[in-house]
Amino acid sequence: MMAFKLGTALIAPLLLGMAGIAIAAGPGRERPKSGAALYQRYGCYGCHGYSGAGSSSSGPTLADRGFDAVHVFDYVRQPHGVMPPYHKGALSDADLQAIANYTASMMASVALARIPQLTRLLPKATSAPMATTAPANLLGATLFKTNCAGCHGATGAGGIGPSLLEEGHTRSVALIEAFILQPPAKMPKLSPDPIPEAQVRPLAEYVAAFATRPR
Amino acid sequence: VSEVTDPRRRFFLKGSVLAGVAAAAAPLTAKAQSTDMSGRSPAPAPSPQLKVAEAGAVKTDQRAEDPDALREYVPDPGSDFMVDVLRAAGIRHVALIPGSTFRGFQESLINYAGEAGPSMIVCVHEEISAAIAHGYAKVSGEMMACIVHSDVGLQHASMAIYDAWCDRAPMLVLAANILNPGQRRPGVEWTHTMQDVATIVRDFIKWDDTPVSLQHFAESTMRACQFARTGPSAPVLIIADADLQERNIEDRTALSIPARVEVVPPEGEAHAVDRLAAMLVDADRPLIVTDRAVHTRKGMDDLIGLAELVHAPVLDQAGRMNVPTTHYLYRSPHQTRIVADCDLMLGLELSDPWGTANSYADLTERTATRRLKATAKSALIGTANLFTKPNVQDLQRYFTADLTIAGEVEATLPALIAAVTARLTPDRRFEIAPRKVLREQEHDAIRAAAVKQAAVGWDSSPITSARVAVELWDLIEKDPWALVSDPMILSGWPLLLWDLTEPYHHVGGSGGFGIGYGISAAVGAALGHKEKGRYGVAFQGDGDLMMLPGSLWTLAHHELPLLVVLQNNGAWHQEFMHIQRMTNRRNRGADRAGVGTQISNPAIHYADMARSMGVYAEGPISDPAKLAPAMRRAMEVVRAGKPAFLDVVMEPR
């Protein structure tokens, strides 16, 4: 599915030895209009991959994360992490909007269950219930790392999503829990899948505890 | 005599003739010992001289029969003795590209070394020679040598020697030179001579010497090998003077070769080890961080044993294969964030303690953020304080640890385990026990998240690095395989999804990040694995390949079993991202980061290139559905003992 989304406009230049960018850099070039082509022209693929798969050594996954275009647009102008900002002089509003629309439409290409080479690699214990009485709330930490850190950063300081460091000051644990269970439009719904409802409380407690951590 | 170790091309030579140092007397005749090691022509039939030798009838001193011999030939050249020294030092292979300053030595390898070795690994560039020695040492646990042609050859080799220095890997570099001006031909032999050749690399080797006699050569080579093997391991350099190589040995009985002696590795001081044990037992959230800590199965078992005592997760930075990825305490380099959760960080042979305890953002204003809590304790065990040099800045930024123990990790672990065990009271064991299930759940959660992540873009073209890793794992899982490329090259997917369980399953990375290491060190690693009945698999960057593509020829020439999977991303991609960052920072030309950073116009036909050097090759492969079948075909070649190459059009990372 992803290959279809990327289309031959993206793949062909690669097979030709990435000739596309050098040609595109020349005078009088015709500017591509599609978000997919602009995503390549401005080098978004360099860190996030042609498919949006991303990489641990360059940039996070964009596909299937539920990002909306408004959020992506704002983040590209003012990123919070190590991503360099794209200012208007380098990337116009119109082109950025097209890229934001494109990235917001990215989806995982194939459901995991349809890939036997991968499903056999799943740990056998995954279906076992996780302990919820860890003294240091390790369950909350694990859930956060797996489901939240991609947007809010490993330390909760923010990334493509907002900082959570003050959540514990502005909301009670119960309110954070409710927020996760019924998220606003910009935030993906994480419960009951992949986070069972019963495990949202320790996650909320973990998020609330950011406010008390030494910084 | 040999370039390779293929038994099909071996002569059987009786031990009485070739019994290493003891047989340091007469060389067998050239005809008797020379074989075509390329495998492209059958081995010659044993000569009459060899038959006589096998019958034990060859005189050991031909000069006794022919007193005028010295006027016509050199019956006992010094380089024969040098070969004996290498053999006694445990050097099984010498990598080289021919050079006139060591023509005597090479002739001794061809016609004197015999099946006892060392064998010759033929290369097309000295950097490849040195990198092969680097890769081989990490796999085999034994040093390998490379010999280079004076100043020009050493300059070529210097990049790979630098990598080995940064990677704390031992190797013996022999640099030939002509010290005596009276022995130099006018012209090139003067330009290919330096009065101090070692100065080219002295900043990143552990020791060097310039022997002026054969006895000096023997003793200095043994000393150099001892230094190189003792932690921190590093390359060493010995000058092999051409005149010494070529001149006749007047009196063999006046020469002796010191026996190889293993140095007892430095162990951490007992009181400090006990202090560290107390810190580990008292900590509520201990974390062990490893980099180049483990070299043996016992070392791995000890490290696991220590971690299990306190159920401390082990953040493995993958400088070596330290902990099985299947172990519930294993944490891959991707999990750096767990440093922030610990109240004690124990670093074992870390290359960068400061960079472990801190993060650093490459923004307009470069900023550091402390990852390790201010209240957390820290301790280090390693050899960094035992030896270093000032010029190369590979020591990284200074880090203040609460306790630093100088010593080799593997040598210190048994005492540390004993001290921790002694300090663990029944009550403390009871308190610590529940950590295990949490660590197991975390390990499972990390694996599950990685599997889920690997599905993203599964059917996309260019093919995702995750898919490449998974498809290959499907084919090799049950084989005697080993990953010989930097385990982080493919975004570290093998560390997340493969079951790496043995100390040889990977050997870390280059150390010095000098490109060209990947393909050439993989050749040396494949040589080491071949000797153990295993084959290698390597994920290979296209930029790195083009630095030393001639490595493929050595692979084919010596028939080494290695699968090379090229990550064809059409760029020096790290640099692409750097230029992208610069254009963004300067608010101009954000669509021009590919200028000068992409390998294009023309595109390189990598598979054709590999085939031209005798390697089975397919590609470019851009359709993910065609990947697994191509891998299966390539693996048939590798399982038959030969190299294979796949050009895969992949995601940039």
Side-chain angles (χ1 to χ4, degrees):
Chain A
M1 189 184 295
M2 201 67 241
F4 173 73
K5 280 182 176 298
L6 289 169
T8 52
L10 278 182
I11 298 166
L14 184 89
L15 296 177
L16 290 170
M18 301 292 186
I21 287 187
I23 293 167
R29 64 188 186 271
E30 185 183 343
R31 299 182 65 79
K33 298 298 182 188
S34 79
L38 290 166
Y39 176 88
Q40 182 191 5
R41 164 168 283 182
Y42 287 101
C44 309
Y45 75 93
C47 298
H48 302 288
Y50 292 92
S51 64
S55 159
S56 60
S57 60
S58 54
T61 301
L62 299 179
D64 201 26
R65 298 290 288 273
F67 297 145
D68 67 54
V70 173
H71 218 94
V72 172
F73 188 100
D74 292 344
Y75 189 83
V76 171
R77 288 286 187 236
Q78 285 192 307
H80 308 307
V82 296
M83 175 176 158
Y86 281 74
H87 302 295
K88 285 187 179 180
L91 177 60
S92 70
D93 280 349
D95 283 356
L96 175 54
Q97 190 60 58
I99 291 170
N101 292 340
Y102 173 66
T103 55
S105 72
M106 285 179 163
M107 310 171 56
S109 57
V110 177
L112 175 61
R114 288 172 44 205
I115 310 172
Q117 301 100 307
L118 279 175
T119 51
R120 76 180 186 85
L121 300 179
L122 283 167
K124 293 178 176 61
T126 299
S127 57
M130 296 181 76
T132 56
T133 55
N137 192 9
L138 288 172
L139 173 61
T142 303
L143 290 169
F144 185 85
K145 277 187 279 192
T146 308
N147 300 285
C148 313
C151 295
H152 297 287
T155 62
I160 200 162
S163 169
L164 302 177
L165 297 182
E166 297 301 322
E167 285 295 299
H169 289 315
T170 57
R171 290 187 175 90
S172 66
V173 170
L175 274 175
I176 297 172
E177 184 179 17
F179 198 89
I180 297 168
L181 288 168
Q182 296 296 330
K186 290 180 181 177
M187 179 174 152
K189 187 163 170 53
L190 297 169
S191 182
D193 182 26
I195 304 175
E197 252 184 67
Q199 293 182 0
V200 173
R201 173 54 72 112
L203 175 59
E205 289 171 349
Y206 183 79
V207 171
F210 284 144
T212 60
R213 281 189 173 183
R215 278 177 252 156
Chain B
V1 64
S2 60
E3 290 181 16
V4 290
T5 54
D6 189 335
R8 291 173 302 175
R9 294 192 291 275
R10 284 182 180 167
F11 285 128
F12 176 73
L13 299 179
K14 285 200 170 178
S16 60
V17 177
L18 295 167
V21 181
L28 294 172
T29 65
K31 198 173 179 183
Q33 294 193 51
S34 63
T35 57
D36 178 357
M37 289 307 159
S38 70
R40 283 158 184 78
S41 59
S47 67
Q49 293 94 327
L50 178 58
K51 289 176 180 172
V52 173
E54 287 185 328
V58 166
K59 297 285 186 184
T60 57
D61 187 351
Q62 296 176 34
R63 286 173 298 174
E65 291 185 346
D66 184 3
D68 295 330
L70 279 175
R71 284 200 294 272
E72 299 173 4
Y73 59 90
V74 179
D76 196 6
S79 53
D80 286 2
F81 177 78
M82 291 177 173
V83 164
D84 290 334
V85 171
L86 296 193
R87 189 185 299 148
I91 303 293
R92 293 203 287 260
H93 308 286
V94 181
L96 60 83
I97 171 173
S100 62
T101 48
F102 62 85
R103 60 188 185 180
F105 182 85
Q106 184 167 358
E107 193 277 340
S108 291
L109 287 178
I110 295 168
N111 290 320
Y112 176 75
E115 290 303 300
S119 75
M120 197 187 316
I121 303 296
V122 186
C123 305
V124 299
H125 193 295
E126 288 90 348
E127 188 176 341
I128 297 172
S129 302
I132 285 174
H134 182 180
Y136 178 85
K138 290 197 287 184
V139 167
S140 72
E142 286 289 344
M143 287 175 69
M144 183 173 156
C146 61
I147 186 164
V148 299
H149 174 47
S150 189
D151 49 1
V152 286
L154 189 57
Q155 287 178 86
H156 273 167
S158 61
M159 181 64 250
I161 296 169
Y162 180 82
D163 272 333
W165 163 267
C166 295
D167 196 27
R168 306 298 185 256
M171 78 167 73
L172 175 63
V173 182
L174 297 169
N177 201 32
I178 308 174
L179 283 174
N180 183 350
Q183 296 298 315
R184 296 177 205 153
R185 289 176 294 163
V188 67
E189 287 191 352
W190 282 78
T191 56
H192 287 184
T193 295
M194 290 178 76
Q195 56 175 295
D196 184 10
V197 185
T199 193
I200 294 169
V201 296
R202 190 169 282 134
D203 279 333
F204 42 89
I205 57 175
K206 197 169 185 180
W207 190 69
D208 67 271
D209 200 8
T210 305
V212 296
S213 69
L214 289 173
Q215 187 60 42
H216 190 179
F217 179 88
E219 293 172 15
S220 288
T221 299
M222 280 298 174
R223 191 198 301 273
C225 290
Q226 276 191 1
F227 285 164
R229 286 193 298 263
T230 306
S233 290
V236 288
L237 171 68
I238 295 293
I239 304 301
D241 183 67
D243 197 33
L244 283 180
Q245 295 174 45
E246 297 188 18
R247 212 172 266 286
N248 193 62
I249 300 171
E250 296 301 324
D251 182 6
R252 268 271 186 166
T253 61
L255 296 175
S256 63
I257 300 175
R260 171 176 166 169
V261 175
E262 300 301 330
V263 175
V264 177
E267 180 181 337
E269 191 272 333
H271 290 94
V273 169
D274 192 51
R275 271 181 64 198
L276 175 56
M279 293 167 74
L280 277 167
V281 171
D282 291 345
D284 289 325
R285 293 185 303 283
L287 170 69
I288 298 173
V289 187
T290 54
D291 194 358
R292 298 190 184 98
V294 163
H295 307 282
T296 65
R297 179 76 237 182
K298 182 180 184 308
M300 177 181 277
D301 290 343
D302 284 348
L303 176 56
I304 293 168
L306 175 69
E308 287 180 348
L309 279 174
V310 290
H311 300 302
V314 182
L315 177 62
D316 189 351
Q317 296 179 330
R320 296 290 186 274
M321 173 75 207
N322 296 297
V323 183
T325 59
T326 52
H327 194 276
Y328 73 97
L329 292 172
Y330 172 78
R331 300 294 180 270
S332 75
H334 310 81
Q335 310 298 321
T336 308
R337 61 189 68 167
I338 66 175
V339 171
D341 297 330
C342 76
D343 61 355
L344 169 67
M345 182 184 85
L346 168 59
L348 301 180
E349 202 64 55
L350 299 189
S351 57
D352 188 4
W354 188 91
T356 304
N358 296 272
S359 63
Y360 202 83
D362 184 12
L363 301 171
T364 305
E365 294 298 325
R366 292 187 165 196
T367 54
T369 306
R370 188 170 169 93
R371 206 178 267 140
L372 187 67
K373 286 177 187 163
T375 55
K377 304 278 189 196
S378 57
L380 302 172
I381 303 176
T383 56
N385 284 288
L386 298 178
F387 182 85
T388 191
K389 288 191 171 183
N391 198 10
V392 176
Q393 297 290 293
D394 61 332
L395 287 175
Q396 309 291 333
R397 192 164 173 180
Y398 181 73
F399 176 71
T400 306
D402 295 290
L403 175 62
T404 298
I405 299 176
E408 286 195 7
V409 170
E410 286 201 6
T412 306
L413 280 175
L416 182 57
I417 290 170
V420 170
T421 304
R423 284 182 168 274
L424 278 172
T425 63
D427 284 351
R428 190 59 179 150
R429 285 179 187 274
F430 182 79
E431 290 169 350
I432 287 173
R435 293 177 189 168
K436 184 181 182 192
V437 68
L438 295 169
R439 298 287 101 82
E440 288 172 340
Q441 289 171 345
E442 288 169 353
H443 186 265
D444 284 355
I446 292 167
R447 168 63 80 102
V451 171
K452 183 181 174 189
Q453 173 73 21
V456 178
W458 185 258
D459 288 335
S460 296
S461 177
I463 303 171
T464 66
S465 51
R467 178 155 187 174
V468 173
V470 171
E471 297 281 16
L472 182 57
W473 177 241
D474 239 24
L475 292 173
I476 67 172
E477 182 181 359
K478 294 181 171 58
D479 281 357
W481 61 275
L483 180 64
V484 296
S485 53
D486 186 327
M488 291 303 290
I489 185 179
L490 222 60
S491 298
W493 279 112
L495 298 176
L496 293 167
L497 299 175
W498 291 13
D499 293 347
L500 292 95
T501 56
E502 301 296 329
Y504 59 79
H505 269 161
H506 80 73
V507 289
S510 65
F513 300 99
I515 64 171
Y517 162 89
I519 186 63
S520 49
V523 176
L527 173 64
H529 285 303
K530 178 180 180 178
E531 291 177 351
K532 307 280 187 185
R534 304 186 288 256
Y535 64 75
V537 296
F539 299 113
Q540 172 64 43
D542 45 5
D544 182 282
L545 176 68
M546 291 310 294
M547 192 63 75
L548 296 171
S551 304
L552 295 170
W553 180 85
T554 300
L555 265 182
H557 183 70
H558 289 282
E559 294 190 350
L560 299 176
L562 175 68
L563 173 67
V564 179
V565 180
L566 185 73
Q567 183 180 26
N568 179 353
N569 60 21
W572 298 281
H573 191 74
Q574 188 71 37
E575 316 318 313
F576 173 90
M577 292 191 288
H578 277 304
I579 300 299
Q580 185 78 61
R581 188 172 290 276
M582 288 299 102
T583 63
N584 287 26
R585 192 172 291 178
R586 297 170 184 184
N587 194 23
R588 62 189 184 191
D591 58 346
R592 297 165 65 85
V595 179
T597 59
Q598 293 185 328
I599 305 172
S600 59
N601 295 330
I604 296 170
H605 297 282
Y606 295 104
D608 287 349
M609 183 177 76
R611 278 192 288 266
S612 77
M613 287 186 264
V615 176
Y616 174 88
E618 290 191 40
I621 301 160
S622 55
D623 180 351
K626 294 179 178 173
L627 177 62
M631 282 181 167
R632 273 194 289 275
R633 291 189 292 272
M635 284 308 305
E636 285 178 20
V637 175
V638 174
R639 288 182 183 121
K642 295 184 178 179
F645 179 97
L646 294 177
D647 172 2
V648 182
V649 179
M650 256 191 251
E651 284 275 24
R653 279 288 180 267

